[in-house]
């Protein structure tokens, strides 16, 4: 079908109207997108937003710093996304009703939407090409002097239509963008094919006609490409500086839906019958007099909607035919994508194949597989120097295989695998509660990223095998309740903190045959269950393996651990039972001080056992002393009594002395002390002056042991001596005998 024949149906009046619309479109767009050089003196630069992206080269080892976005800029970009959504809804509604109006609507047509125009490509067998666009939009698809093409209006590809963009020698497509507006290419159930060749690559870029440069500031929106359902093919294409704010407008957005939108099932899109009073008159004239009959299908649309009497259905099932825009299929290979908001964004897609592609300098993230992206094969893809993560497998994305890919120097993670449930309970959208998984990252490289090399957030049946992970904050992090994760055959080098971190409720993780070099801690496990076996851990500076809190059921066995630090395997903070036998730790130099080692042993149960041991030791020693010391002497004494000997024959009594006081003629009193037991000793005589209070005792008296005592506790002689002061060194109260002669004897 020739392009001329497709445009020959309108009448002369409609031709004139179409020409007027084209002229008006050109005038409006010329005002919006001035010709190159028109604003050369305005001072506007291509980098008005201040975004600068590092050059993707092996020599550039810097991690980009994400630009700061103000609240006003965020509001402006979000508003632009809302406006785009509204525009697409209007186009879809108008295009749906246009199909019912007449034959002229089967040809491509233009709609005035928002501040610009949209060229709608209707279904046909042959694909639309660059030559078709030159005829359909001569005022808005312009061939430039350098051989490039400047697109000044939006293009909308309906289901059943195909837009094929290619050109011998390589097509250069420039999509107009500046602060006044931007254009887009959107397929709705249709097919989009963009191809170049190895020797003549295609280029697609945003373009500010006033500065003759790609648009790097996305604040006011920026040109983008989006496929809603249908198929998308891109091969040997260089994509530069597309998209803004959201995934669907992020640059290359490939989206579908798992639930048909209202009106997407087979049936009339627009009611074309009568309205108002006319409809009431028709109803009166057609008032049924018997069983309901099927009206003419043109009354309710062209899809054959009929009516039947109420009652049982002849066929119990009600079948719905969902259009083919529920999922988008993708084939992307040998492409470069630089400076997009999202490098590649896929949601509601299936049958995804991405290979031999480089994604760099993205404002948000590199390659994103969002909700319900399934059956994806990504291989030989490089995501580097992006302001977010390199690769993201989001929740509800399943059966994704990433192999032989690289994530270098991204501001976030190299790879993120998120398998958490979309909902944890009843929700407005009725999402399922189950976890997602069956995703793998194998034989890939993650190096120099600002956060983690690979991060797994929930999910199940995750495989991370034979990867090379170098110089990240952490190497591999598994958390948020992930289950059945295999980490095998990876080489992790020079991580700032942990080589492998497993925590927060993770279960059934297998960590084996990995080589971990130079991390502060080789493997860190907290509140998780993991089998850690057959790994080689070297150069660790804190611990080879650390287990914290409740890790009961974990196994640490058959690992070779070397390094220098407080301990090769740290279980001091572990509350569960962990098998840590069979590890080779001879290469570990323990730097723990003696006091730290002692404190490590001081635990409540340890203290109880130590006290029990000391108690037993004390009574053991005491019993031994009893048998060999005083207890033995008592036993010997009992033996002597049994033989008839006096039991205390071997014990001498204490010495006893008699003190005699005598009054001399010269008035002095002398005291003479003479021992009564033991060897004879010379008496000791001491003379003291006599006083009136001195008591004279005429006869020496020996105080017996059993002498009665006075009520004050003193013997009678002691009482007399006490009252007289003799022997006490001082006088008493003077109540002494008038006898001035005699002597007094006291036991000493």
């Amino acid at each position: 079908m020739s392009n001329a024949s497709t445009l020959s149906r309108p009448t002369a009046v409609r031709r004139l109207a179409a020409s007027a619309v084209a002229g008006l479109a050109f005038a409006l767009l010329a005002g919006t997108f001035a010709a190159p050089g028109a604003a050369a003196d305005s001072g506007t630069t291509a980098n008005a937003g201040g975004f600068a992206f590092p050059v993707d080269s092996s020599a550039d080892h810097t991690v980009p710093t994400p630009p700061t976005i103000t609240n006003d800029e965020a509001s402006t970009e979000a508003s632009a996304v809302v406006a785009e959504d509204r525009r697409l809804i209007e186009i879809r509604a108008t295009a749906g009703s246009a199909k019912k109006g007449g034959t002229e609507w089967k040809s491509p047509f233009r709609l005035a939407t928002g501040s610009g125009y949209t060229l709608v490509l209707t279904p046909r067998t042959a694909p639309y090409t660059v030559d078709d666009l030159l005829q359909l939009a001569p005022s808005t698809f312009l061939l430039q002097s350098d051989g490039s093409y400047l697109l000044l209006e939006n293009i909308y590809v309906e289901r059943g239509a195909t837009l094929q963009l290619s050109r011998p020698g390589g097509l250069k497509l420039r999509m107009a963008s500046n602060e006044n507006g931007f254009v887009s290419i959107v397929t709705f159930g249709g097919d989009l094919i963009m191809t170049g060749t190895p020797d003549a690559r295609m280029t697609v870029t945003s373009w500010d006609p006033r500065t003759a440069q790609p648009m790097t500031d996305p604040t006011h929106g920026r040109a983008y490409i989006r496929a809603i359902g249908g198929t998308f093919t891109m091969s040997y294409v260089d994509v530069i500086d597309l998209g803004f704010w959201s995934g669907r407008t992020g640059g290359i957005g490939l989206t579908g839906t798992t639930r048909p939108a209202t009106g997407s099932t087979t049936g009339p899109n627009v009611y074309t019958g009568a309205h108002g009073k006319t409809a009431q008159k028709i109803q009166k004239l057609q008032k049924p007099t018997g069983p309901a009959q099927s009206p003419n299908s043109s009354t309710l649309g062209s899809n054959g909607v009929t009516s039947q009497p109420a009652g049982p259905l002849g066929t119990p099932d009600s079948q719905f035919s969902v259009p083919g825009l529920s999922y988008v299929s993708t084939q992307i290979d040998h492409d470069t994508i630089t400076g997009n908001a999202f490098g590649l964004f896929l949601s509601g897609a299936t049958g995804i194949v991405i290979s031999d592609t480089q994604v760099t300098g993205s404002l948000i993230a590199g390659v994103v597989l969002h909700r319900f992206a399934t059956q994806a094969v990504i291989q030989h893809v490089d995501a580097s120097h992006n302001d977010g993560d390199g690769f993201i497998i989001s929740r509800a994305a399943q059966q994704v295989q990433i192999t032989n890919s690289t994530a270098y120097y991204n501001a976030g993670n190299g790879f993120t695998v998120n398998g958490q449930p979309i909902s944890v309970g009843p929700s407005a959208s009725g999402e399922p509660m189950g976890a997602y998984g069956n995703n793998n990252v194998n034989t890939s490289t993650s190096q120099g990223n600002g956060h983690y090399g690979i991060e797994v957030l929930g999910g199940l049946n995750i495989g991370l095998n034979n990867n090379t992970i170098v110089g990240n904050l952490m190497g591999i992090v598994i958390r948020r309740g992930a289950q059945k994760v295999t980490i095998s055959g990876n080489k992790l080098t020079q991580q700032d903190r942990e080589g492998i971190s497993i925590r927060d409720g993770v279960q059934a993780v297998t960590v084996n045959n990995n080589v971990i070099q130079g991390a502060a801690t080789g493997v860190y496990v907290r509140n998780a269950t993991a089998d850690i076996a057959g790994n080689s851990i070297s150069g660790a500076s804190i611990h080879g393996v650390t287990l914290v809190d409740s890790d009961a059921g974990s196994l640490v066995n058959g690992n070779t651990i070397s390094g220098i630090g407080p301990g090769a395997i740290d279980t001091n903070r572990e509350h569960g039972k962990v098998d840590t036998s069979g590890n080779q730790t001879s290469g570990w130099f323990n730097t723990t001080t003696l006091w730290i080692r002692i404190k490590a042993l001081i635990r409540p149960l340890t203290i109880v056992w130590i006290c029990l041991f000391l108690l037993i030791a004390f009574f053991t020693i005491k019993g031994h002393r009893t048998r060999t010391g005083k207890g033995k002497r008592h036993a010997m004494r009992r033996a002597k009594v049994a033989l008839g000997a006096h039991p205390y024959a071997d014990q001498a009594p204490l010495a006893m002395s008699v003190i005699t006081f005598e009054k001399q003629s010269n008035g002095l009193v002398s005291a003479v002390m003479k021992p009564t037991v033991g060897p004879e000793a010379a008496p000791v005589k001491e003379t003291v002056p006599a006083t009136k209070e001195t008591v004279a005792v005429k006869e020496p008296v020996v105080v017996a042991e059993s002498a009665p005592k006075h009520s004050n506790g003193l013997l009678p002689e002691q009482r007399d001596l006490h009252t007289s002061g003799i022997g006490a060194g001082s006088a008493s109260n003077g109540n002494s005998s008038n006898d001035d002669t005699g002597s007094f004897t006291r036991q000493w």
Side-chain angles (χ1 to χ4, degrees):
M1 181 183 296
S2 66
N3 193 59
S5 64
T6 60
L7 298 178
S8 61
R9 297 182 184 274
T11 61
V13 176
R14 293 186 180 275
R15 283 180 178 273
L16 181 60
S19 300
V21 169
L24 179 59
F26 179 79
L28 290 175
L29 293 170
T32 302
F33 305 111
D41 298 331
S42 64
T44 304
T45 62
N47 197 23
F51 299 102
F53 305 104
V55 178
D56 184 28
S57 65
S58 59
D60 187 0
H61 293 169
T62 60
V63 175
T65 301
T68 301
I69 300 177
T70 66
N71 291 334
D72 291 340
E73 291 172 340
S75 178
T76 300
E77 290 192 54
S79 298
V81 172
V82 173
E84 278 297 288
D85 290 341
R86 184 182 299 111
R87 181 181 69 87
L88 294 178
I89 292 173
E90 292 174 352
I91 292 173
R92 183 183 176 188
T94 305
S97 61
K99 295 177 183 179
K100 320 302 176 184
T103 57
E104 69 274 8
W105 292 103
K106 295 181 180 179
S107 301
F109 57 92
R110 179 177 285 108
L111 297 174
T113 54
S115 60
Y117 290 89
T118 299
L119 177 64
V120 180
L121 302 181
T122 54
R124 76 178 193 184
T125 304
Y128 292 92
T129 64
V130 172
D131 292 334
D132 293 322
L133 294 180
L134 288 172
Q135 295 186 38
L136 293 169
S139 302
T140 55
F141 189 72
L142 307 175
L143 175 62
Q144 304 294 288
S145 59
D146 60 357
S148 63
Y149 292 85
L150 179 62
L151 178 63
L152 296 173
E153 71 172 330
N154 303 294
I155 296 178
Y156 182 90
V157 183
E158 287 191 311
R159 184 186 179 199
T162 299
L163 175 60
Q164 183 172 352
L165 297 175
S166 63
R167 202 69 171 171
L171 173 65
K172 294 182 179 180
L173 177 62
R174 295 170 176 173
M175 303 176 66
S177 299
N178 62 24
E179 64 272 13
N180 296 320
F182 55 89
V183 300
S184 65
I185 298 176
V186 177
T187 65
F188 195 82
D191 301 328
L192 177 59
I193 302 172
M194 300 190 300
T195 59
T197 64
D199 298 327
R201 300 179 64 86
M202 176 181 174
T203 301
V204 181
T205 180
S206 62
W207 194 257
D208 188 346
R210 298 178 303 178
T211 62
Q213 295 290 332
M215 187 67 178
T216 57
D217 183 0
T219 301
H220 300 280
R222 200 165 52 167
Y224 69 94
I225 296 173
R226 180 183 179 186
I228 306 174
T231 63
F232 178 86
T233 303
M234 186 170 69
S235 181
Y236 294 101
V237 178
D238 299 326
V239 179
I240 303 171
D241 294 334
L242 296 181
F244 63 98
W245 196 249
S246 70
R248 57 187 180 273
T249 61
I252 303 293
L254 312 176
T255 63
T257 175
T258 57
R259 296 178 300 275
T262 302
S264 64
T265 54
T266 298
N269 291 320
V270 178
Y271 177 73
T272 57
H275 295 271
K277 295 181 179 180
T278 303
Q280 295 175 1
K281 292 179 180 180
I282 293 175
Q283 290 176 0
K284 290 179 180 180
L285 294 174
Q286 297 180 348
K287 185 175 181 180
T289 57
Q293 303 293 325
S294 298
N296 191 320
S297 61
S298 62
T299 304
L300 296 177
S302 60
N303 291 301
V305 176
T306 61
S307 62
Q308 296 181 6
L313 288 171
T315 303
D317 295 329
S318 178
Q319 300 294 331
F320 293 93
S321 175
V322 179
L325 55 83
S326 292
Y327 286 91
V328 59
S329 298
T330 304
Q331 174 74 45
I332 299 173
D333 63 274
H334 299 92
D335 304 301
T336 65
I337 302 172
T338 305
N340 285 6
F342 286 88
L344 277 172
F345 182 88
L346 299 97
S347 175
T350 187
I352 304 164
V353 179
I354 306 173
S355 63
D356 302 291
T357 295
Q358 187 178 57
V359 181
T360 62
S362 302
L363 299 177
I364 302 172
V367 179
V368 180
L369 286 87
H370 200 56
R371 305 287 175 83
F372 309 108
T374 61
Q375 301 178 16
V377 176
I378 300 174
Q379 56 186 354
H380 301 289
V381 175
D382 168 54
S384 60
H385 299 96
N386 298 290
D387 287 349
D389 296 344
F391 295 85
I392 298 178
I393 302 175
S394 298
R395 292 183 293 176
Q398 299 189 91
Q399 303 175 34
V400 178
Q401 312 295 321
I402 301 177
T403 59
N404 298 307
S405 297
T406 57
Y408 285 102
Y409 305 106
N410 298 285
N413 297 327
F415 298 85
T416 299
V417 182
N418 191 342
Q420 298 178 96
I422 296 178
S423 176
V424 295
S427 61
S429 57
E431 300 295 346
M433 296 173 56
Y436 299 88
N438 298 319
N439 300 313
N440 295 278
V441 179
N442 300 326
T443 60
S444 296
T445 301
S446 180
Q447 178 174 342
N449 298 287
H451 207 219
Y452 305 147
I454 301 176
E455 183 177 24
V456 175
L457 303 170
L460 65 158
N461 297 327
I462 309 298
L464 309 174
N465 305 309
N466 303 314
N467 299 291
T468 300
I469 303 173
V470 182
N472 306 280
L473 181 63
M474 295 188 192
I476 297 175
V477 177
I478 315 295
R479 60 193 185 101
R480 293 190 183 178
Q483 299 181 28
K484 298 181 181 179
V485 181
T486 300
I487 306 171
S488 178
N490 301 284
K491 183 176 182 180
L492 302 99
T493 307
Q494 301 300 324
Q495 315 304 322
D496 291 344
R497 293 169 58 185
E498 289 95 20
I500 298 175
S501 178
I502 304 168
R503 60 181 190 258
D504 303 337
V506 173
Q507 301 293 322
V509 178
T510 300
V511 182
N512 58 26
N513 300 322
N514 299 283
V515 177
I516 305 172
Q517 300 174 340
T521 299
V523 180
Y524 177 89
V525 182
R526 184 185 71 199
N527 284 329
T529 302
D531 290 346
I532 306 168
N535 301 283
S536 175
I537 303 172
S538 61
S541 58
I542 298 179
H543 300 290
V545 178
T546 296
L547 297 107
V548 179
D549 291 338
S550 180
D551 302 320
S554 294
L555 171 69
V556 182
N557 185 264
N559 302 284
T560 301
I561 304 174
S562 63
I564 179 172
I569 300 176
D570 176 24
T571 59
N572 294 329
R573 294 165 289 174
E574 169 60 39
H575 298 160
K577 184 177 181 181
V578 178
D579 182 3
T580 60
S581 62
N583 297 285
Q584 177 58 257
T585 60
S586 59
W588 187 270
F589 181 78
N590 198 324
T591 60
T592 305
T593 63
L594 179 60
W595 175 241
I596 295 297
R597 297 184 187 184
I598 293 175
K599 288 199 300 183
L601 297 175
I602 301 177
R603 296 185 177 185
L605 187 59
T606 304
I607 294 174
V608 171
W609 281 108
I610 290 175
C611 292
L612 182 60
F613 172 78
L614 293 177
L615 189 63
I616 294 173
F618 172 76
F619 284 107
T620 300
I621 295 172
K622 182 176 178 62
H624 178 73
R625 291 184 61 187
T626 300
R627 290 192 299 272
T628 59
K630 186 176 180 181
K632 184 176 181 181
R633 292 195 298 270
H634 284 292
M636 293 175 64
R637 185 176 298 118
R638 286 193 297 270
K640 291 180 180 180
V641 172
L643 295 175
H646 194 281
Y648 298 101
D650 57 343
Q651 298 185 11
L654 295 175
M656 181 177 294
S657 299
V658 175
I659 302 175
T660 303
F661 297 92
E662 297 179 355
K663 185 175 181 182
Q664 304 295 328
S665 59
N666 56 4
L668 299 177
V669 178
S670 62
V672 179
M673 182 175 64
K674 182 179 180 180
T676 61
V677 181
E680 293 294 330
V684 178
K685 186 175 182 179
E686 181 178 359
T687 302
V688 296
T691 62
K692 293 182 179 181
E693 292 82 8
T694 300
V695 177
V697 182
K698 297 181 178 180
E699 297 295 333
V701 179
V702 177
V703 181
E705 190 76 25
S706 59
K709 296 183 179 180
H710 194 267
S711 60
N712 60 5
L714 299 176
L715 296 173
E717 293 80 6
Q718 292 175 322
R719 176 175 54 82
D720 297 338
L721 181 62
H722 176 74
T723 56
S724 63
I726 299 175
S730 61
S732 181
N733 55 9
N735 296 327
S736 59
S737 174
N738 294 326
D739 195 351
D740 57 356
T741 62
S743 63
F744 172 74
T745 303
R746 179 189 176 193
Q747 180 180 350
W748 186 255

